[in-house]
């Protein structure tokens, strides 16, 4: 037993030493799998994430717009809310979102827990209230039992609800991408074209903002440094949070992890292809007109950032009871 | 090896002999697990079942209204369709639906394959067309590869799409309920109250229509034999299919399997509780006013019909390509 532990320790040190030396000078770091601090809290969060009873209609769940079968997004320009209202902005992926410096495109929520309460009570999204959502969950004995397992007592309140959803979302990381394998030393994991794309990604300045383990998410940046992005979107970016004119069109830099899955692109979701997105980013952010072969290489690189997708059993939700407030779909 | 096979054979015969003798005289038979004839076809069907790209908006999948986390239903009176249109009828559960004599409340589709094509092209539901859905799937290489695995060639057409969805749906059976355990000989699997409920279920006539492995689904029956069911629904039942006046308000008898999960009840989804549903059925179908304790026993029995729910990993869907027709959510 002691010998085995020792061997594991030596192995761990060895891997760590190799790993850090390999990617120490790279602007992107590999993603590490996340083990939840409290498995029962995360399990509860998974149920809540999939439960449409958090919406007024009983039809929309977190997973409706952050669909874990589809890269944690809805793959439409802007989301569909209660009564088919058109959302004002593209739904950001929930994958790796725990690494963001803040949540929403404008960073108005400081963390996943603060974010989770937003859509539930937003009249244009799930259109419920925290009180109603809590009263629904409280009425279901299996939920009360899961709250007890997770938090030590049956009490259901919005703080626990959002804590649990956030704990589940924290686990939604996507290690194992080909690019991460390459970073970790497997030089065959990406091909020459993809590697050329990565070199250009660094040399042209993309990595100035898209860096770190999430390849983005770590800072705010003006969209349209070298020109104006034409859009019908009325989203103001950080200005909506800080009130400063200088924050107009300043958005959180989105993660490029799983970017192949999280189309369409930009805060207005107006761009469907990665090629067009890269071309626009070159012009507006770097004042550079990428040549077609450069775009091809960059896109090839970006597609190596697709990691292991969520891998769990579809949760089974406990039924409502005679005391559960009814959904109001129409 | 031969000895082991022999032992298994003897065991099988033994179990079969015990099983049939136990429930031979019961109107309800236990559900058997279904192994798909072709696993790859069913796997493709699972992907398609969860893929909202079969809808015009890119937002509604089969699973939206036949939610496998919620008893294969949407748990609202009538379903939400494209652009939040209100559906005309309650979404029947997809669980055990392969046992139905026909599909939809009025039986207008002869089987699951015929049913599967309906909602995709129904302007009030997914609002797509078969041509559009097929062209979307065709544009995605991973789908073409899965069609090849399933059917031997990459060809994508609506016949294969609906064949695959139906093959997946055939697997959605729910064995293992406490009632089935009881049928199979475990006399402790249900309690005395539940057993009294079952006896009343048989003696009062419920089992005249709700019988067989699905506890329903095997015949049509007029809703309102001894009175008129008051409803705002305009659904005509079998009359809409046959044109006969005598078929007005004649519906397929719904399965009672997992009835605890498939609320609200009846074709108009107007009744939220099992107690009220049982009371109404007693009056309108059996001309009998069940006493409160009888309703309690019947409901207790009905809740023993909840079986093992779908148990599989959430499917990961392949991304669209630059050639994929775009969703039209708004």
């Amino acid at each position: 037993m002691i010998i085995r532990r020792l061997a594991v320790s030596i192995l761990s040190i060895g891997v760590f030493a190799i790993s850090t030396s390999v990617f120490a000078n790279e602007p992107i770091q590999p993603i590490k799998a996340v083990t939840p601090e409290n498995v029962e809290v995360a399990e509860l969060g998974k149920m809540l994430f999939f439960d449409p009873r958090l919406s007024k209609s009983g039809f929309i769940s977190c997973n409706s717009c952050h669909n874990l079968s589809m890269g944690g997004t809805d793959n439409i320009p802007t989301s569909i809310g209660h009564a088919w209202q058109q959302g004002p902005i593209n739904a950001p992926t929930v994958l790796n979102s725990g690494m963001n410096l803040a949540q929403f495109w404008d960073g108005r929520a400081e963390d996943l827990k603060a974010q989770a309460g937003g859509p539930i009570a937003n009249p244009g999204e799930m259109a419920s209230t925290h009180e109603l959502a809590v009263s629904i969950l409280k009425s279901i004995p299996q939920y009360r039992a899961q709250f007890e397992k997770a938090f030590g007592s049956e009490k259901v309140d919005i703080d626990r609800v959002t804590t649990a959803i956030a704990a589940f979302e924290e686990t939604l990381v996507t290690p194992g991408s080909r690019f991460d394998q390459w970073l970790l030393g497997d030089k065959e994991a990406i091909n020459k074209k993809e590697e050329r794309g990565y070199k250009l990604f660094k040399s042209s300045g993309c990595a100035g903002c898209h860096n770190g383990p999430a390849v983005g998410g770590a800072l705010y940046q003006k969209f349209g440094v070298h020109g104006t992005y034409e859009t019908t979107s009325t989203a103001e970016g950080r200005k909506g949070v800080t009130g400063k004119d200088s924050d107009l069109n300043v958005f959180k830099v989105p993660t490029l992890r799983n970017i192949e899955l999280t189309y369409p692109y930009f805060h207005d979701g107006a761009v469907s292809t990665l090629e067009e997105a890269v071309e626009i980013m070159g012009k507006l952010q770097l004042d550079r007109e990428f040549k077609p072969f450069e775009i091809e290489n960059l896109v090839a690189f970006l597609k190596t950032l697709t990691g292991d997708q969520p891998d769990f059993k579809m949760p089974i939700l406990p039924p409502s009871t005679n005391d559960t407030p009814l959904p109001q779909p129409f």
Side-chain angles (χ1 to χ4, degrees), chain A residues 266-288:
Chain A
F266 301 146
H267 68 279
D268 60 355
V271 170
S272 301
T273 71
L274 262 181
E275 287 78 4
E276 196 186 343
V278 165
E279 189 185 356
I280 292 171
M281 289 305 280
K283 280 183 194 159
L284 294 188
Q285 304 305 103
L286 303 170
D287 197 20
R288 173 165 179 165

Side-chain angles (χ1 to χ4, degrees), chain A residues 120-121 128-138 158 325:
Chain A
I120 294 173
S128 187
T129 64
H130 291 170
E131 294 67 30
L132 177 57
V134 165
S135 69
I136 287 170
L137 299 172
K138 258 188 194 168
I158 193 65

Side-chain angles (χ1 to χ4, degrees), chain A residues 33-82:
Chain A
V34 168
T35 309
E37 275 179 54
N38 181 326
V39 173
E40 297 296 350
V41 174
E43 274 303 305
L44 172 61
K46 188 197 293 175
M47 293 163 71
L48 296 171
F49 190 87
F50 279 87
D51 201 325
R53 286 171 293 194
L54 294 187
S55 67
K56 180 181 179 183
S57 63
F59 188 66
I60 300 177
S61 70
C62 304
N63 194 63
S64 297
C65 299
H66 300 285
N67 194 322
L68 298 178
S69 298
M70 310 196 306
T73 67
D74 51 13
N75 291 151
I76 55 179
T78 62
S79 294
I80 292 168
H82 183 77

